[in-house]
Structure formats: C-alpha cells, structure tokens
Amino acid sequence: MSATAKKTAPMAEDIRARKGGEPLVSLTAYTTPMAQMMDAHCDFVLVGDSVGMVLHGLPSTLGVTMEMMILHGQAVTRGLSSAMMVIDMPFGSYEESPQQAFRNAARLMAETGAGAVKLEGGVEMAPTIAFLVKRGIPVMAHVGLTPQSINTLGGYKVQGRGTAGEALMADARAVAEAGAFSVVLEKVPASLADAVTQAVPIPTIGIGAGAGCDGQILVVDDMLGLFTAFKPKFVKRYATLGADGEAAIADYAREVRARSFPAPEHVFGDDAPEGKA
C-alpha cells in the first residue's frame, strides 16, 4: 500500500472490531462545514435526531421527520471522507414493524450514503434489529435514556439505577445478540456502563455513561458551546463559540450603526487596481 494512500472510512465491522481497543471517538454533525471539521478526528459521525432541538428549535426529538434526517444526512456526507457516517432513524419510522423499519432504513442509507442506522430500544427492538441486519443494514443500537421515549420514561432521567440495572443489562445483551455492531449507552451510572461493557461483545458508546465505555459521543453543539439552552451534566464544553459568536454579532451591529463598517478596505473604488479587471 502506498504511504500516501487515502484513508478510507471504516465500516460497521471495523467499528465492531475495535471492542476493547483504543476508545472510539464520535460527535454529532448536521451540516457540511461541521462534518469537515471533525472528519479527521472521529471514527464515526452521527447525524443525530438531536438536530430537531439543536438546529430547528423543537422541544424534543419527537417532531423530527425522515425528510429532515435525509436533508441533514446529505449535507454531512459531503463533508466526510475518512469517518463513517451513522444516521438516526426518527421517531415513528421503525417502531410499527420490522418491515416498516426496513423500508425507512433502506431509504435513509440509499439517499444519504450512510454506513449504518441507529435506532432506540432494547429487548423490544431486538427482533427488528435482527430483521434489518439479516437484510444488509448495519444497526447501531441505543439503550438507557432513549430520548424518543421521554413521554414514557418521565423525562430525561438517569436510567438503570438499582434493580432497573438488570433490565438495562438485558437490553444491551438483546441488541448485541440480535446483531447490532455497537450500542450507545446514554445517561446510565458509570458502574453499570462498565458492567455492560464487560458483558457484551460489541463496543459500547457512552454519553453520560463514564470513561469505561469502548467509545464516547457528544452533541457537537453542546461541547462547542453553541447550544446553550441547557447543559447536561455529562457535557464538557471545550469552547464557548456561542458566547463568542454573540459578542462578534454585537460588535458588528455596533460598527454598522456607527458607520465604521464597512471601512475603506472593505469597499471598491471607481478604478480597478492596476493589473486587475
């Protein structure tokens, strides 16, 4: 192989093979420029249904549609060359039956170029996961806090404490046995996440689940400080781009009102510079 050969994006089997190895790195992305920034640093990029809250101002992920996911998936794929793209199946697009799930998963992958889909649910979704995997659709599972189920979970609460940990463990085992190549563990006690990570043969991807998982994911707008409506405990802000952007906009508005922008260097004269049209 040439030393200058272009790195190719990993596939689901490559992510699965990372079990117990160097931690997997992932972030969400919804636009081409953001995907380009993270492409060289992430093993996989998730086009998350969190886009509904982060970019569209929705109160939850429940209002996200297939069309929204396809639009943002198409944008993200244009910005990736070395990271795998996984795309969320939105609420209502897979729960009815395995057949419904297959139709919508196939559409998402065909129209966006995603390498896999992600869906929420454990034991109850295992038959659907198996159905998809047998038909060539790689599935990333998601258990613990499943945002599409907040109305039945009673809000964004920590999942798996006490005896509830047994059910969460059963969920993780079920999706692994059904053929999922990895599983997201969201907002669960770190000790339980560690136990699940040891118990299942597929990589665990933590978000609010401690450092013992096989990988980590965050919503990029959270960790960059772009989304500031609220800050989950498990988020570390690596930048304050929201505050910096607001300050920049305030400076711009002040200069426009003072007529100090545009300045002479930002305007065009009557004569073109010598040598230029």
Side-chain angles (χ1 to χ4, degrees):
M1 180 183 290
S2 169
T4 58
K6 179 181 176 182
K7 177 185 174 183
T8 58
M11 301 177 71
E13 60 189 40
D14 302 312
I15 299 297
R16 183 181 183 124
R18 293 277 295 276
K19 175 69 180 180
E22 182 181 41
L24 292 154
V25 178
S26 179
L27 289 166
T28 63
Y30 319 111
T31 65
T32 304
M34 195 67 79
Q36 290 171 327
M37 282 194 285
M38 63 182 68
D39 185 42
H41 307 286
C42 290
D43 297 296
F44 70 91
V45 169
L46 174 68
V47 185
D49 59 359
S50 49
V51 67
M53 301 172 75
V54 173
L55 294 189
H56 293 273
L58 297 177
S60 72
T61 62
L62 300 182
V64 175
T65 65
M66 283 284 293
E67 287 67 30
M68 289 166 65
M69 295 307 302
I70 289 169
L71 176 67
H72 290 284
Q74 290 171 339
V76 169
T77 197
R78 297 184 193 110
L80 298 180
S81 61
S82 61
M84 177 185 181
M85 187 173 88
V86 181
I87 190 164
D88 265 338
M89 297 194 70
F91 178 69
S93 69
Y94 61 95
E95 298 91 339
E96 180 180 333
S97 67
Q99 291 76 15
Q100 180 210 31
F102 177 78
R103 288 193 299 273
N104 285 320
R107 182 185 174 197
L108 281 174
M109 292 185 69
E111 296 190 30
T112 68
V117 300
K118 181 171 77 64
L119 56 80
E120 297 180 3
V123 171
E124 75 281 4
M125 292 309 303
T128 294
I129 292 172
F131 188 90
L132 296 180
V133 172
K134 288 177 182 177
R135 287 156 180 78
I137 295 179
V139 177
M140 177 178 289
H142 183 156
V143 302
L145 174 63
T146 47
Q148 293 176 8
S149 301
I150 57 166
N151 288 328
T152 55
L153 294 176
Y156 297 96
K157 300 176 180 178
V158 175
Q159 301 296 307
R161 284 179 169 151
T163 57
E166 296 177 7
L168 196 145
M169 177 67 78
D171 283 336
R173 291 183 187 274
V175 298
E177 291 170 4
F181 70 91
S182 59
V183 57
V184 172
L185 304 180
E186 182 167 357
K187 209 167 182 179
V188 303
S191 59
L192 175 59
D194 290 348
V196 170
T197 299
Q198 292 299 315
V200 299
I202 59 175
T204 56
I205 311 299
I207 176 167
C213 294
D214 294 301
Q216 299 292 328
I217 186 168
L218 283 176
V219 172
V220 69
D221 295 69
D222 284 342
M223 58 87 69
L224 290 178
L226 285 167
F227 182 76
T228 57
F230 57 86
K231 177 182 174 294
K233 178 181 179 179
F234 56 77
V235 169
K236 176 179 178 179
R237 285 197 172 138
Y238 288 80
T240 55
L241 301 190
D244 293 344
E246 186 173 356
I249 291 169
D251 286 343
Y252 164 73
R254 184 165 48 252
E255 290 187 6
V256 168
R257 294 186 176 111
R259 295 190 183 276
S260 59
F261 176 84
E265 64 267 27
H266 305 123
V267 299
F268 301 99
D270 294 328
D271 299 320
E274 190 172 336
K276 295 185 179 180

